[in-house]
Amino acid sequence: MSSDEQEQAKGINDKQVASNPVDTRLPSHLTESRLAGIIDSAIDAIITVNQDYKIQVFNRAAENMFQCPASEALGDSLDRFIPARFRDTHSSHISGFGKTGVSSRAMASARSIYGLRTNGEEFPIEASISQVEADGQRLFTVIMRDVSERVRAEKRFRQLIESMPNGIVMVDKSGTITLVNEQIERSFGYARSEIVGKSIEILVPMRVRDRHHEFRTVFIANPEARPMGSGRDLFGLRKDGTEFPVEIGLSPISTEAGAMVLATIVDISERKHAEVVVRQSKEQLAGIIGSAMDAIVSVDEDETIVLFNNSAEKMFLYPSEDALGKKLSQFIPERFRPSHNEHIKNFGRTNVSKRTMGSLGAIFGLRADGTEFPIEASISKLEAGGKKLYTVILRDISERKRVEEALREQARILDLAPVLISDLNSRIVFWNSGAEEMYGWKADEVLEKSSHVLFKTEFPRPLEEIKARLFARGHWEGELIHTRRDGEQIVVASHWVLHKDENNKPKAILEVNNDITDRRRAEQEVLRLNAELEQRVADRTAQLQTANKELEAFSYSVSHDLRAPLRHINGFSQALAEDYGDSLDETASGYLTEIRSASQEMAQLIDDVLQLARVTRTELHREKVDLSATAKEIVSKLKTGDSTRVATIEVADGLIAACDKRLMGIVLTNLLSNAWKFTSKREKAEISFSGSSQNGEVVYSVRDNGAGFDMAFSNKLFGTFQRLHSANEFEGTGVGLAIVQRIIHRHGGRVWAEGKLNEGATFYFSLPIWKEPEHA
Amino acid sequence: MHEKTILLVEDNVRDEALTLRALRKSNIANEVIVARDGVEALEYLFCTGTFEGRNPDQKPQLVLLDLKLPKVDGLQVLEKIRGDERTRRLPVVIFTSSNEEEDLIRSYNLGANSYVRKPVEFEKFLEATKQLGLYWLVLNESAPIG
């Protein structure tokens, strides 16, 4: 059943009109013909039927409306002008109406009723019915209006409303929903039957319902078309309890039903979402710009700065708030400004949207403190709203430039060393300027050639062996002989390093060569000189040895030959004294004694001189010698030589020295005999031999409490034949200490003495500390 | 009857005189035969040359041998003495003024029984002679002759 039919079936919607009984007396001026004229000229169709439902009156408007002449209609049942399906209801309505005392009323004013034209066409009508009793008959008069147009208009209106993409709600003065469209149904999740007739507040979130109510009141008081709640976020409440953001426009409408409010409700969830997305991406972008390590500066067409990020602040030492509005050229060193401006302008004119700015050559930035620094930049262009926006991204490349320069410097330095790289077949794949300098070939002359063939390399061992070593250890060092381009042969100290690829397979050989020809030459020269020197030394030694031998033979024969006569002098003097002593007086005997003493002295002298000579020329045979033991031996000999002497002799233990045993024996003999001799006049002689190590040498001392000596003459002590005492006081030849000195000096030590007349003397000698001989 | 003799090989007349005197003063009365050089010494010992006809069994009890001798020197004599079976065991005392260590070593290497230096001082000379004589002529048991 259509809604129309539903409505029609609901029955007559009575609108009670004043139910005065109808006075059928006509006013006097209304004659029948005038009345008929009035009825006929009416715009509305007037049909009167009797209680049998037969048509009595059928005016002109009715003729037009139903397309039927009055002659046909009169006497016919009204049913012919009612669609079949409504006829029963309609007639019962009429009779029902008739039974009431009501005189007139509108017919189904709130629902659509239809008429039926003669040609079968149906059309909507608006009607009112009235009843009158006349002459005992009841007459029903129906006045009708063809409202097709209106209905059509209404329909169009409805369609329009329905088709609106926005939600449309019509609300009456009391806030009751009178009309909703499909969009509202969809947005809020209600079927219109669920909300039409309800208060508008059911679509409003609970928390704002009171306020909304107030608002409506205010609006009704001053209705004007405007958006609702400007500046506020508005929300609609769905049937399922969820909310969604909305935008609402209000317009007052007056309708036949009275003043209404037409509200357009737009679901702006998507827009809001889009807004959030946009805001988020804006924030993100701001974050990216803010956190970017590179400086980002945007300027407009006049070069005024509109964006200056954190990094730009740090780079230029200029706060961004201050930078905004300033000109970009402020941050460029003066000498670059003109070309920079040119560049930007040209760029602006091109169609290119971005490029790096390196093509200008090195560009520099100017900090707020006046310092300059090298930068790398890229520029991009953006057109927005008809205006050009330039964005420059800058990087401070001072550090990079420093590193680059350092690397370049390194490379320059490395290039000084002769370096070449060859593949595993010794073909040259890399040749630097150092190699060029050393060998004389340019890189293009050597690449792809075998290095060994090129250099005519002479190897110290077979190349296979060298290569094997290289592969095993990863490197090889050795000396090679290379021939330069000019034919000169050079000796090189070659260092090879094996280069492996990512899979650890040998790939290439790096070779660094040092020309050591000069060094070799120098070394050989040194060797040659050394050999020469050694030869000379050998020759000289041979000479010396010969001389020594001669000297030895000489001193041997000398000593022997000199001693014999002495012996004779002595012997015969003695013989004389013994055999003819009786006939000699004291003086004569005295002379003989002198002769004998003199000869004895000479003998001693000869011995001493011989010893001195021997000590000088004899070879020094160093070994570990126990000096304490040697000293003790000497002491016991002295004691046995003269057992009458009272003497305390202390010899320290453990005095070991690296020295010639025999020669040191002579030293100790001399020193101890001296001590023994010069203490001979003491009642109790005190002699001691000790040693101590100091500063890398050992100092030995022989101390006695004997006659001593005057320190003033200490420099004469060790001289040959020098004596500080006369022969009368103490016998001696004055050679003993010279011998001691000669021996100690040959050992690399020193001798010296301290003494005081009559208070004794101490003789010192030093020897370097014993060192274990190194074994080769 | 066998007489104990001393062979003194000494080239120097003075040394000879002093040695003889010293021997006398030491109451050593043995006969002393003096050879002036190495050749004479050997001729005597082996009964050749000047001493041809001498009884070879008559060997000296002691040989006092100086080293520095003309013609054949003391060590050569020593060598010869030690080299001959007949004289091998003769007591030979090197009596020399040399105090060269090499002479000492070589003497002992060649088989000298003793090495005594002649001191310059006569007293000592005397003493040395006396001791020598007493030891070699009296105390020491020589190898049997023959």
Side-chain angles (χ1 to χ4, degrees):
Chain A
M1 260 175 118
S2 75
S3 46
D4 290 351
E5 286 166 331
Q6 271 181 325
E7 286 185 25
Q8 207 146 12
K10 272 197 202 137
I12 302 164
N13 191 352
D14 281 346
K15 237 191 176 171
Q16 296 280 18
V17 298
S19 47
N20 294 325
V22 171
D23 188 349
T24 52
R25 279 172 306 162
L26 294 162
S28 54
H29 64 279
L30 270 183
T31 58
E32 232 181 84
S33 58
R34 269 205 194 127
L35 200 64
I38 292 170
I39 291 174
D40 247 356
S41 65
I43 294 177
D44 294 331
I46 300 175
I47 303 179
T48 303
V49 296
N50 62 6
Q51 50 206 58
D52 295 325
Y53 224 54
K54 298 280 189 285
I55 295 171
Q56 305 300 305
V57 176
F58 199 78
N59 75 344
R60 189 163 306 149
E63 282 179 331
N64 289 337
M65 190 178 282
F66 290 100
Q67 301 282 312
C68 177
S71 50
E72 265 193 48
L74 286 172
D76 241 348
S77 165
L78 184 58
D79 273 345
R80 67 175 284 187
F81 295 114
I82 300 171
R85 60 190 185 281
F86 297 136
R87 282 175 194 156
D88 288 337
T89 333
H90 186 258
S91 56
S92 59
H93 281 159
I94 297 241
S95 39
F97 178 64
K99 290 200 187 103
T100 72
V102 177
S103 59
S104 64
R105 67 172 180 218
M107 267 175 75
S109 53
R111 61 182 163 88
S112 31
I113 35 176
Y114 290 83
L116 178 68
R117 287 199 243 274
T118 314
N119 61 359
E121 190 188 327
E122 288 183 17
F123 60 98
I125 52 178
E126 216 173 63
S128 64
I129 185 168
S130 60
Q131 57 179 327
V132 72
E133 258 203 65
D135 307 327
Q137 274 199 44
R138 196 177 289 246
L139 288 172
F140 299 96
T141 303
V142 182
I143 302 182
M144 286 169 278
R145 191 173 289 177
D146 183 349
V147 294
S148 324
E149 197 50 48
R150 187 161 55 112
V151 166
R152 236 172 286 163
E154 273 182 19
K155 209 172 177 164
R156 270 202 295 279
F157 176 69
R158 257 182 235 261
Q159 277 174 345
L160 185 70
I161 298 281
E162 278 310 313
S163 67
M164 296 280 279
N166 300 335
I168 307 274
V169 177
M170 191 125 74
V171 171
D172 68 15
K173 268 200 293 208
S174 61
T176 311
I177 298 173
T178 59
L179 179 92
V180 296
N181 70 348
E182 198 183 326
Q183 191 53 42
I184 292 288
E185 285 184 319
R186 260 192 252 129
S187 298
F188 286 89
Y190 286 106
R192 64 189 77 197
S193 51
E194 293 176 287
I195 50 177
V196 169
K198 299 258 179 21
S199 162
I200 184 70
E201 258 76 49
I202 69 164
L203 301 180
V204 173
M206 303 272 312
R207 59 182 183 283
V208 291
R209 275 188 193 167
D210 291 338
R211 205 158 15 121
H212 186 261
H213 186 89
E214 270 174 48
F215 176 75
R216 268 197 302 108
T217 320
V218 166
F219 184 76
I220 296 288
N222 272 322
E224 59 178 19
R226 57 176 155 104
M228 189 172 126
S230 36
R232 279 188 281 131
D233 287 336
L234 307 169
F235 292 90
L237 178 68
R238 288 202 191 90
K239 183 182 181 184
D240 62 9
T242 56
E243 293 180 14
F244 60 100
V246 294
E247 213 172 62
I248 302 174
L250 305 169
S251 11
I253 279 189
S254 44
T255 66
E256 311 81 40
M260 302 268 204
V261 177
L262 185 77
T264 50
I265 303 181
V266 180
D267 180 348
I268 56 167
S269 329
E270 260 185 55
R271 174 154 50 109
K272 275 263 175 267
H273 177 72
E275 277 175 13
V276 165
V277 168
V278 164
R279 190 179 57 247
Q280 275 176 351
S281 74
K282 256 192 180 163
E283 281 169 3
Q284 212 174 33
L285 186 65
I288 290 170
I289 292 178
S291 67
M293 287 196 43
D294 293 331
I296 302 175
V297 179
S298 294
V299 296
D300 63 17
E301 292 173 319
D302 297 324
E303 275 204 67
T304 310
I305 295 173
V306 297
L307 174 75
F308 200 80
N309 78 341
N310 284 348
S311 294
E313 260 192 23
K314 292 198 197 106
M315 187 178 284
F316 290 98
L317 306 174
Y318 204 86
S320 48
E321 317 79 82
D322 295 346
L324 297 171
K326 300 271 188 334
K327 296 282 180 215
L328 181 61
S329 45
Q330 172 168 340
F331 297 104
I332 298 165
E334 222 178 290
R335 59 191 186 282
F336 293 126
R337 279 176 205 164
S339 60
H340 176 256
N341 291 342
E342 224 8 75
H343 183 92
I344 299 254
K345 279 198 181 52
N346 285 335
F347 178 61
R349 279 187 231 120
T350 66
N351 283 330
V352 178
S353 62
K354 57 180 182 288
R355 66 171 173 218
T356 55
M357 277 166 54
S359 43
L360 290 174
I363 23 178
F364 287 84
L366 178 68
R367 290 203 189 93
D369 65 0
T371 55
E372 290 182 14
F373 59 100
I375 50 178
E376 199 174 63
S378 67
I379 183 170
S380 66
K381 179 173 60 175
L382 175 70
E383 270 202 53
K387 296 232 180 82
K388 290 203 180 61
L389 186 74
Y390 301 99
T391 302
V392 186
I393 300 186
L394 307 153
R395 189 171 288 185
D396 180 347
I397 54 170
S398 328
E399 192 54 42
R400 179 157 57 122
K401 285 245 171 285
R402 222 172 293 150
V403 169
E404 274 175 14
E405 182 52 37
L407 283 175
R408 240 173 280 144
E409 181 68 17
Q410 238 178 45
R412 276 195 289 274
I413 294 173
L414 284 174
D415 220 21
L416 295 173
V419 174
L420 58 125
I421 300 178
S422 43
D423 63 15
L424 298 181
N425 293 321
S426 302
R427 252 164 254 290
I428 298 171
V429 296
F430 172 80
W431 178 264
N432 77 343
S433 60
E436 197 178 295
E437 177 126 359
M438 179 147 111
Y439 291 99
W441 283 289
K442 289 219 182 306
D444 51 15
E445 292 176 304
V446 302
L447 289 176
E448 292 307 308
K449 296 220 172 55
S450 160
S451 62
H452 306 313
V453 169
L454 188 68
F455 300 142
K456 302 197 180 77
T457 312
E458 285 175 32
F459 293 96
R461 17 170 61 84
L463 178 58
E464 290 72 45
E465 211 184 292
I466 293 175
K467 272 200 165 152
R469 217 137 186 224
L470 175 68
F471 276 66
R473 287 156 154 220
H475 63 99
W476 177 84
E477 292 79 37
E479 278 178 26
L480 306 169
I481 300 183
H482 282 168
T483 307
R484 294 166 37 142
R485 186 181 199 222
D486 61 10
E488 188 187 324
Q489 272 200 333
I490 51 171
V491 182
V492 299
S494 194
H495 188 104
W496 296 12
V497 181
L498 186 65
H499 173 59
K500 296 188 179 152
D501 63 15
E502 318 78 55
N503 298 324
N504 229 20
K505 270 181 44 175
K507 191 172 161 188
I509 301 173
L510 174 76
E511 187 175 326
V512 182
N513 294 333
N514 277 327
D515 184 349
I516 55 166
T517 318
D518 289 343
R519 177 155 53 109
R520 271 271 157 279
R521 221 173 281 149
E523 279 172 11
Q524 274 164 1
E525 184 66 18
V526 166
L527 284 171
R528 195 184 62 77
L529 285 170
N530 269 356
E532 220 177 85
L533 203 67
E534 276 193 23
Q535 185 57 43
R536 279 204 216 132
V537 166
D539 291 346
R540 190 60 57 82
T541 310
Q543 279 177 8
L544 281 171
Q545 278 172 345
T546 319
N548 265 357
K549 274 215 176 62
E550 287 168 9
L551 192 67
E552 182 145 354
F554 177 71
S555 44
Y556 173 76
S557 55
V558 157
S559 69
H560 193 272
D561 294 346
L562 282 177
R563 222 182 257 117
L566 281 177
R567 189 166 51 251
H568 301 154
I569 293 168
N570 194 300
F572 284 110
S573 320
Q574 182 80 356
L576 192 62
E578 284 171 9
D579 297 351
Y580 297 92
D582 306 329
S583 49
L584 289 171
D585 66 0
E586 243 183 75
T587 320
S589 302
Y591 288 166
L592 283 174
T593 314
E594 292 304 323
I595 293 169
R596 284 204 334 262
S597 307
S599 62
Q600 274 153 28
E601 261 177 53
M602 182 150 174
Q604 184 62 45
L605 198 61
I606 292 171
D607 281 344
D608 286 348
V609 166
L610 261 182
Q611 190 171 70
L612 185 62
R614 205 181 301 131
V615 149
T616 308
R617 65 158 200 276
T618 206
E619 235 178 78
L620 204 70
H621 211 269
R622 271 189 216 260
E623 54 176 330
K624 203 166 160 191
V625 178
D626 184 353
L627 293 176
S628 305
T630 312
K632 283 182 183 150
E633 264 174 50
I634 295 165
V635 165
S636 71
K637 271 208 197 106
L638 289 168
K639 280 190 169 157
T640 29
D642 188 352
S643 46
T644 59
R645 290 272 306 266
V646 179
T648 326
I649 307 186
E650 284 175 14
V651 173
D653 282 315
L655 298 173
I656 316 275
C659 55
D660 184 300
K661 186 164 183 170
R662 206 176 63 84
L663 293 178
M664 283 311 292
I666 293 169
V667 165
L668 287 174
T669 304
N670 281 351
L671 290 177
L672 288 167
S673 313
N674 274 357
W676 183 257
K677 183 165 67 179
F678 287 94
T679 51
S680 58
K681 296 199 174 142
R682 295 269 180 259
E683 266 188 36
K684 209 164 147 216
E686 281 167 23
I687 301 172
S688 71
F689 171 56
S690 58
S692 64
S693 61
Q694 334 163 344
N695 306 337
E697 59 179 12
V698 184
V699 174
Y700 302 88
S701 59
V702 177
R703 187 190 305 269
D704 69 71
N705 66 340
F709 60 89
D710 190 344
M711 278 299 284
F713 302 111
S714 61
N715 58 327
K716 289 194 166 179
L717 271 174
F718 296 97
T720 321
F721 301 129
Q722 296 280 3
R723 298 204 74 218
L724 297 184
H725 298 271
S726 70
N728 285 346
E729 295 172 286
F730 297 100
E731 49 99 16
T733 54
V735 182
L737 286 179
I739 292 174
V740 167
Q741 183 182 68
R742 191 72 66 90
I743 293 174
I744 297 297
H745 280 182
R746 283 198 70 201
H747 280 84
R750 301 166 291 131
V751 268
W752 68 100
E754 283 166 8
K756 218 158 170 206
L757 270 179
N758 289 319
E759 284 178 40
T762 311
F763 283 79
Y764 300 93
F765 64 92
S766 68
L767 290 174
I769 287 190
W770 163 258
K771 273 199 182 70
E772 289 285 346
E774 280 173 43
H775 299 279
Chain B
M1 243 308 269
H2 178 234
E3 239 201 60
K4 292 184 182 177
T5 58
I6 300 174
L7 175 63
L8 173 65
V9 189
E10 174 63 66
D11 68 323
N12 192 295
V13 177
R14 296 194 195 109
D15 271 326
E16 182 200 322
L18 287 174
T19 309
L20 289 177
R21 185 167 177 278
L23 284 173
R24 210 173 47 248
K25 289 216 97 173
S26 314
N27 294 321
I28 293 171
N30 305 66
E31 190 191 339
V32 182
I33 295 109
V34 182
R36 288 268 140 69
D37 55 47
V39 174
E40 257 188 62
L42 288 172
E43 281 182 350
Y44 176 82
L45 283 172
F46 297 114
C47 311
T48 55
T50 333
F51 294 98
E52 193 144 352
R54 194 181 73 82
N55 182 1
D57 290 333
Q58 282 266 9
K59 292 192 186 49
Q61 190 72 13
L62 172 68
V63 180
L64 287 176
L65 182 57
D66 193 5
L67 288 182
K68 275 204 101 235
L69 300 168
K71 297 180 194 164
V72 177
D73 76 21
L75 288 173
Q76 284 176 293
V77 173
L78 178 60
E79 225 178 338
K80 278 270 175 353
I81 291 174
R82 287 290 175 252
D84 195 303
E85 179 58 35
R86 292 170 285 174
T87 52
R88 200 155 60 90
R89 289 172 290 278
L90 268 181
V92 177
V93 173
I94 306 294
F95 196 46
T96 181
S97 55
S98 163
N99 59 357
E100 292 295 313
E101 206 168 302
E102 211 179 291
D103 288 335
L104 189 80
I105 293 168
R106 283 169 72 198
S107 303
Y108 276 114
N109 279 350
L110 287 167
N113 292 78
S114 167
Y115 188 104
V116 175
R117 287 201 180 99
K118 287 184 207 166
V120 169
E121 237 185 273
F122 192 73
E123 279 292 332
K124 294 209 170 111
F125 184 75
L126 191 68
E127 191 60 36
T129 315
K130 194 199 278 192
Q131 284 189 31
L132 268 180
L134 282 175
Y135 178 75
W136 287 103
L137 296 166
V138 179
L139 188 61
N140 189 42
E141 292 272 356
S142 296
I145 325 279

